[in-house]
């Protein structure tokens, strides 16, 4: 019964946004959903000047798939020898995410609805990070990191952060709660909120985040964990409220991030553009990056 405003985005529209990104973000910012966030902000601004965002619901009420992964697997896996786990991780990574998607496509319809997953290949590769991790913090870093900067940025090194070299005590929290706290302290303000705020303000739209009202944050952290993550389902308490207003079949589906088909675009209509940016000669001339690992990743993506 709602009225939707739909926007179908073409590769060219995404490409047209990219020259504006340095003005919007003022720094390297690698979350590709900055592109659809800008486009949807631009669309909203045609009708309103203030918009509400659902950001922080995942961090406060255990909505991310990695929390379910942690709850279901880490306690068991951490008891296995690390060498054995590393071998298993290498086996998973031997196939690309796209190849895993192809392998699992005919199997998905045979699975119960609760076990069906979107983007299976990406999730398996994240699972490989779980297998290889030595601690909760190692696991978390592996799940949220795109690149290891060692050997990639010429003369570069990361400063001390809460994720590298300066860990937070966070006493009294179990593994899932620690991961939620790390998300709230690092990923949420350093990625999610940066993306929303700068994309929205770039078109003079104010994005408000009701979940970050301090009373909601305090309530969420007082709420027993079993009311957030139950039977492999995250945001359990929020779902119970939503079921009063929205049919279950609109809610009970695999979680999907706010992404764009960047993989297909980079192999297709944006390939020439990307190739010119990632040209080995250009990378050497500009002198920021070691070309070898970049060219390797690009070749893997194209294949």
């Amino acid at each position: 019964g709602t009225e939707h405003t739909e926007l179908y985005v073409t590769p060219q529209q995404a490409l047209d946004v990219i020259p504006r990104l340095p003005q919007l973000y003022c720094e390297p910012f690698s979350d590709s959903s900055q592109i659809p966030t800008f486009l949807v902000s631009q669309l909203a601004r045609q009708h309103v000047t203030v918009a509400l965002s659902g950001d922080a619901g995942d961090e406060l009420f255990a909505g991310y798939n990695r929390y379910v992964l942690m709850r279901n697997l880490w306690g068991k896996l951490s008891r296995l020898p690390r060498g054995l786990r590393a071998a298993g991780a290498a086996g998973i990574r031997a196939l690309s995410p796209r190849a895993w998607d192809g392998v699992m496509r005919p199997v998905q319809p045979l699975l119960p609805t609760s076990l069906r997953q979107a983007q299976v290949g990406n999730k398996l590769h994240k699972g490989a990070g779980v297998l290889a991790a030595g601690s909760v913090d190692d696991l978390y870093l592996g799940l949220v990191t795109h690149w290891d900067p060692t050997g990639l940025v010429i003369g570069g090194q990361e400063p001390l952060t809460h994720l590298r070299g300066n860990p937070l005590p966070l006493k009294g929290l179990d593994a899932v709660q620690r991961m939620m706290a790390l998300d709230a302290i690092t990923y949420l303000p350093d990625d999610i909120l940066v993306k929303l705020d700068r994309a929205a303000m770039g078109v003079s739209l104010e994005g408000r985040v009701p979940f970050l009202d301090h009373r909601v944050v305090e309530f969420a952290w007082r709420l027993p964990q079993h009311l957030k993550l139950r039977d492999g389902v995250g945001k359990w308490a929020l779902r119970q409220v939503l079921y009063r207003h929205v049919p279950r079949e609109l809610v009970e589906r695999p979680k999907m991030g706010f992404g764009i088909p960047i993989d297909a675009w980079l192999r297709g209509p944006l390939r020439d553009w990307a190739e010119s940016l990632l040209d080995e000669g250009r990378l050497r001339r500009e002198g920021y990056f070691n070309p070898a690992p970049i060219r390797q990743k690009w070749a893997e993506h194209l294949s």
Side-chain angles (χ1 to χ4, degrees):
T2 59
E3 295 182 14
H4 291 278
T5 302
E6 295 181 343
L7 174 66
Y8 289 85
V9 179
T10 66
Q12 186 58 49
Q13 283 175 288
L15 193 56
D16 291 343
V17 171
I18 289 170
R20 299 189 62 175
L21 297 179
Q23 288 179 305
L24 290 172
Y25 289 93
C26 310
E27 61 184 339
F29 184 67
S30 72
D31 190 331
S32 62
S33 60
Q34 62 189 286
I35 296 173
T37 301
F38 173 80
L39 290 169
V40 81
S41 298
Q42 194 175 51
L43 180 67
R45 184 61 184 84
Q46 296 172 15
H47 307 279
V48 298
T49 55
V50 180
L52 301 183
S53 162
D55 288 331
D58 287 318
E59 289 83 359
L60 293 174
F61 293 93
Y64 288 130
N65 290 318
R66 56 178 169 262
Y67 304 148
V68 179
L69 192 70
M70 173 69 83
R71 171 63 54 83
N72 292 346
L73 292 179
W74 180 246
K76 300 168 186 173
L77 288 175
S78 60
R79 292 195 288 269
L80 294 174
R82 192 170 179 185
L84 186 62
R85 290 190 278 121
I92 292 172
R93 289 173 176 146
L95 285 181
S96 70
R98 192 181 188 195
W100 277 115
D101 287 341
V103 169
M104 294 301 296
R105 195 169 291 118
V107 178
Q108 292 265 35
L110 307 177
L111 299 173
T113 304
S114 61
L115 294 180
R116 295 176 193 172
Q117 295 286 328
Q119 300 172 323
V120 176
N122 283 329
K123 291 184 173 69
L124 281 170
H125 272 242
K126 285 187 176 181
V130 176
L131 281 172
S135 68
V136 172
D137 284 16
D138 285 347
L139 166 58
Y140 179 82
L141 185 62
L143 291 175
V144 299
T145 299
H146 293 308
W147 289 85
D148 179 352
T150 307
L152 179 68
V153 181
I154 296 172
Q157 64 181 59
E158 290 201 61
L160 285 179
T161 68
H162 294 316
L163 300 183
R164 289 187 186 270
N166 187 25
L168 291 164
L170 298 175
K171 295 177 181 176
L173 302 184
D174 65 22
V176 174
Q177 290 170 324
R178 182 175 180 84
M179 194 175 269
M180 290 169 62
L182 286 170
D183 273 329
I185 292 165
T186 62
Y187 179 58
L188 180 63
D190 294 341
D191 184 327
I192 300 296
L193 298 180
V194 170
K195 175 181 66 181
L196 170 71
D197 186 58
R198 298 189 191 174
M201 290 309 292
V203 295
S204 301
L205 176 73
E206 287 199 40
R208 304 282 175 85
V209 189
F211 277 119
L212 287 179
D213 184 295
H214 70 92
R215 291 161 295 189
V216 178
V217 175
E218 290 161 9
F219 167 77
W221 275 99
R222 284 197 298 263
L223 201 64
Q225 190 72 356
H226 72 272
L227 295 180
K228 302 175 193 175
L229 184 57
R230 178 182 290 198
D231 299 327
V233 176
K235 292 196 285 198
W236 187 86
L238 292 186
R239 290 171 187 269
Q240 306 316 303
V241 176
L242 193 61
Y243 293 151
R244 300 176 188 173
H245 308 283
V246 177
R248 278 180 178 254
E249 58 267 24
L250 296 184
V251 182
E252 300 298 336
R253 57 197 181 107
K255 181 175 177 62
M256 294 182 70
F258 187 44
I260 55 175
I262 192 168
D263 53 344
W265 287 357
L266 289 176
R267 291 190 196 97
L270 299 186
R271 179 171 176 172
D272 290 344
W273 167 80
E275 185 65 68
S276 70
L277 287 173
L278 302 178
D279 175 73
E280 184 169 354
R282 178 177 183 164
L283 292 173
R284 290 194 186 284
R285 283 194 309 274
E286 291 179 343
Y288 296 112
F289 300 107
N290 176 6
I294 293 174
R295 294 302 303 180
Q296 179 186 352
K297 290 290 185 185
W298 180 233
E300 288 174 1
H301 184 74
L302 292 177
S303 66

